[in-house]
Amino acid sequence: FDGHAIAHAVLTDLITRVRCRTLLSTHYHGLARDFEADARVRPMHMACQVDAASGQLAMLYRLSSGVCPTSYGCECALRVLPRHIVDRARTKALEFLN
């Protein structure tokens, strides 16, 4: 939770004290919920798609409105880790959600 807390504190400072335009990239999906009522924050994400058959992630290089609908960490991990490890990670991620 330290990372989320640090990102929250930095973004709050940028919004309230510095008051500058900022592009913040994060994997803390909760951060978007923390600021969803703040009109000064506009969530965006890079569009991508996952091939249902192969599980391959394709970046579309298009900035889209809204919070990214899901995490693509496991799809990215498939590029460098064996499938059995990524499958185990997916199982653990589901446990974390429940």
Side-chain angles (χ1 to χ4, degrees), residues 8 22 38 47 92 96:
H8 189 285
T22 302
D38 193 322
K92 195 64 176 175
F96 289 149

Side-chain angles (χ1 to χ4, degrees), residues 21-88:
R21 287 183 184 226
T22 302
L23 177 63
L24 174 73
S25 178
T26 181
H27 62 284
Y28 298 118
H29 293 256
L31 202 58
R33 286 189 300 275
D34 295 343
F35 290 91
E36 66 188 352
D38 193 322
R40 298 169 293 184
V41 176
R42 192 169 102 184
M44 308 280 292
H45 68 279
M46 292 302 291
C48 61
Q49 68 185 54
V50 178
D51 181 89
S54 68
Q56 281 282 97
L57 177 70
M59 298 304 297
L60 303 178
Y61 301 101
R62 184 179 65 236
L63 192 59
S64 300
S65 294
V67 177
C68 188
T70 189
S71 173
Y72 295 103
C74 287
E75 286 76 10
C76 292
L78 278 172
R79 295 185 184 265
V80 295
L81 295 174
R83 180 168 292 280
H84 73 278
I85 292 175
V86 175
D87 289 344
R88 194 174 321 141

